Amino acid sequence: MEKAIKSIILAAGKGTRMKSQTPKVLHQIFNKELLGYVIDALNNTGKVEENYIIVGHCAQQVEEYVKQNYKNVKCRLQSPQQGTGHAALQAYDDLKGFDGEVIILNGDIPLLTTETLDKFIEEHRKNNNALTVMSAIIDDPTNYGRIVRDNNGDLKAIVEEKDTTDEQKKIKEINTGAYILDWAKVHEAFLHFDTNNAQHEYYLTDIVKWAITKGLKARSYILENSEESFGINSKKQLAEAAKILKNRVLDKLLDDGVTIVDPDTTYISPQTEIEPDTIIYPCTYIEGKNKIGKGCKIGPFARLRGDVQLGEGVKIGNFVEIKKTTIKDHTNVCHLSYVGDSTLGSSVNIGAGTITANYNHITKEKFRTIIDDNASTGSNSVIVAPAHIGENASIGAGSVISKDIEANALGLTRAPLKVLKGWFNRLKKD
Ligand code: UD1
Ligand code: CA
């Protein structure tokens, strides 16, 4: 039987360089928290049964987020923060008697993929390691812990930047801060941390030296793509990570047969599925979870805000915002419209400037709009939800519709047109 895995995610640090009231790991890329990316990457392996998050700075906020979004995650408080080893130690009591594997990693690495974690676990098991550290080879290793090897090339220790010799500073293989270990064999290392180092902190990295001294097998797993270990420490790095993630998503969609006219100005969330032969025009922003059928045309300048399902051949044009809405085949929403909390049938035509008024600011309630097959709305009409527009029904341009319109009918609210003849001459001064 496969061993069980539990994880420890380090997230107590302050994240000073973010210059923000929001804790670092709760900063978002595509409306999803950095910590969420890490927990999902672990959970999606299907092998991790429980995650312990070490919280400290803004602990309550992080705990609240975790509680609301995850079932198999527990928070453990680290106060004061005395280093990465001290952080991981906060989950020690929870793991008493556990005889599976423990993965330890940082909460600020949103680019780490499930595929890589799978390989990491596999390598660890295949080689019968007691401990495997995830490393990366990078051009500028400054500030990272260095992977130090003996003359045979075997792993010897991890040495922090501030503790390195000039010779060690040249090493380009760095510690990404992710580890997998057989808990029964390595747990004792956690009881032997000391602060005999340049930063006077308890270093988690010392588990490597401890394991080797005990004659246990410790190896490194070198990341194929070092960008996966990219940790976020500043707003600049957050933007860089967002760009990498965005390009990953676009590359995959392009490979899958979606046309993206200008990837530079197109933003599509990782949770959006798009079928082939759909065209995404420039300056389109797609957030949240969505499903888009084949042969659709989206944009330019369109925004989908999540929970959007589009059938086949749907057109979403310029300056259109869509949220929590299902739209069936061959329906057009081509210009300047807001469609929210709605269900649209097939071959519906939404005229330019149509608004579904779904929100009551006083009661804070939201209401749905339903528009059946082949109905149409005239330009500049407002549908005050809840409302149901029947099949083949029309709405006249400029109308405010606050009741259901039955199938085949015309709904129209419009002040009668007045024509005042000779108006120009009456007002004109000589
Ligand atoms: C650590 C590693 C280093 C590695 C680098 C990768 C140690 C001693 N060094 O460096 O070898 O190259 O990560 O990014 O482990 N944290 C806590 N409590 C603390 C201190 C830190 O929870 O008391 C958390 C932080 O929130 C962060 C993670 O641990 O998520 C790493 O901390 P950070 O200070 O960024 O790591 P470094 O010391 O730079
Ligand atoms: Ca540090």
Side-chain angles (χ1 to χ4, degrees), residues 76-139:
R76 295 292 174 256
L77 186 70
Q78 184 202 19
S79 174
Q81 282 122 48
Q82 298 175 314
T84 49
H86 179 248
L89 193 61
Q90 308 310 311
Y92 188 83
D93 286 346
D94 292 293
L95 294 167
K96 223 160 228 160
F98 179 58
D99 71 347
E101 292 149 333
V102 173
I103 293 179
I104 308 176
L105 35 71
N106 297 343
D108 61 358
I109 47 166
L111 300 178
L112 184 67
T113 63
T114 297
E115 294 72 48
T116 295
L117 279 169
D118 276 332
K119 283 188 206 160
F120 184 46
I121 296 165
E122 202 184 298
E123 279 293 306
H124 174 78
R125 290 178 177 174
K126 208 173 66 190
N127 294 309
N128 279 316
N129 295 347
L131 185 163
T132 310
V133 50
M134 192 185 285
S135 69
I137 294 170
I138 57 175
D139 287 338

Side-chain angles (χ1 to χ4, degrees), residues 90 104 121 124 207 235 242 259 292 371:
Q90 308 310 311
I104 308 176
I121 296 165
H124 174 78
I207 59 175
K235 292 282 164 68
T259 301
I292 299 173
I371 303 180

